[in-house]
Amino acid sequence: MKRNPQSDGRLRPVDLARRHGLSTQAVRNYEAAGILPAAERTAHGYRTYTHRHARALHAFLALVPGHGHQTAAAIMQAVNRDAIEDALRFIDDSHVHLLDDRRTLQAVEAALRDLRPVPEERGDTFVGPLARRLGIRPATLRTWERAGLVQPRRDPRTGYRVYGPVDVRDALLVHQLRRGGHLLEQIAPLIARVRSAGGVAPLESTLRDWHARLSARGRALLTGAAALDAYLGCPPAPGGGQSVCATAPSTTV
């Protein structure tokens, strides 16, 4: 009777692939990239994996949603070369980025509370009239332009800056926020959000989506950490024997 290779803890590439909805080539690629530990080979040269490889693949796929593919790969590569401190630093960096994004969101929300409605603009204007309207120097508008806060186009014949209705709206918002004590680097992400949302009014739903994405990322980091911890608790057995992890993990991520 033909022996099932899974009965002694060995898995074929196809077994590992099917459990995670992947192709066998993807499994081989992950091994070649160092995301999975190296597989043993049979006398005929076929790869054989173990439940430890299954845990490694599960950990990698769980890490991807929170860290992104590149960082998740770097984490697994570090773990597989026994550079645990490097792996933990990659994880710390992802948490720092998430915290920075949360702080940016908080700053945007605080800035929005300071804003008054901006009337809809019509027609174009130039740097001088706009500066006089705001009570600032033209050089200040040019500083805002260098910071990416306003983006006037140039007249092709004269080279003068031309501020369209959207540019005037952005300048009015920047002016309000500067008067409220906000720094240019704090204003930049808000103006970018206003532009992408098409104005201040639609930002409310954008901010809700932003909150949801950050929360989902935070949960994904936790899920990835749990899967990685399970893999770390499944070290290779001395002398190449059966690993201490006796069963493959659930494929639910």
Side-chain angles (χ1 to χ4, degrees), residues 113-131:
R113 288 193 292 269
D114 295 338
L115 289 178
R116 298 184 304 276
V118 173
E120 185 176 347
E121 299 293 324
R122 297 182 180 278
D124 297 334
T125 188
F126 297 95
V127 63
L130 182 56

Side-chain angles (χ1 to χ4, degrees), residues 6-195:
Q6 297 189 45
S7 64
D8 59 1
R10 292 186 295 115
L11 301 170
R12 299 166 301 173
V14 67
D15 300 323
L16 210 55
R18 285 173 178 169
R19 289 184 179 187
H20 296 85
L22 300 172
S23 67
T24 54
Q25 187 58 52
V27 173
R28 296 188 192 102
N29 291 343
Y30 289 152
E31 181 193 345
I35 292 169
L36 302 183
E40 293 183 2
R41 297 279 183 148
T42 67
H44 299 288
Y46 296 115
R47 290 176 175 85
T48 61
Y49 296 108
T50 66
H51 293 312
R52 182 168 183 266
H53 291 90
R55 285 191 182 276
L57 183 54
H58 178 72
F60 170 68
L61 296 176
L63 288 166
V64 169
H67 296 272
H69 191 282
Q70 183 175 349
T71 300
I75 291 169
M76 295 302 298
Q77 289 160 354
V79 168
N80 289 329
R81 65 174 184 269
D82 204 27
I84 304 301
E85 291 297 321
D86 290 345
L88 294 176
R89 276 192 290 272
F90 288 128
I91 293 170
D92 290 343
D93 286 343
S94 290
H95 282 279
V96 168
H97 292 323
L98 178 60
L99 181 59
D100 286 343
D101 287 347
R102 289 193 185 282
R103 286 172 173 162
T104 298
L105 175 56
Q106 290 170 355
V108 167
E109 290 178 321
L112 281 174
R113 288 193 292 269
D114 295 338
L115 289 178
R116 298 184 304 276
V118 173
E120 185 176 347
E121 299 293 324
R122 297 182 180 278
D124 297 334
T125 188
F126 297 95
V127 63
L130 182 56
R132 287 192 294 273
R133 175 178 174 180
L134 298 176
I136 60 176
R137 296 179 300 164
T140 300
L141 280 172
R142 289 191 283 271
T143 298
W144 294 354
E145 182 181 348
R146 287 193 295 273
L149 304 179
V150 291
Q151 300 175 334
R153 69 182 188 277
R154 295 284 186 142
D155 185 286
R157 291 184 300 104
T158 64
Y160 293 157
R161 292 171 172 83
V162 180
Y163 294 83
V166 170
D167 305 310
V168 174
R169 178 204 67 195
D170 291 348
L172 291 170
L173 293 176
V174 173
H175 188 235
Q176 284 190 43
L177 293 167
R178 289 295 288 145
R179 291 178 65 181
H182 296 279
L183 302 176
L184 294 184
E185 56 266 29
Q186 296 171 326
I187 296 172
L190 172 62
I191 296 300
R193 289 283 169 177
V194 169
R195 288 190 190 121

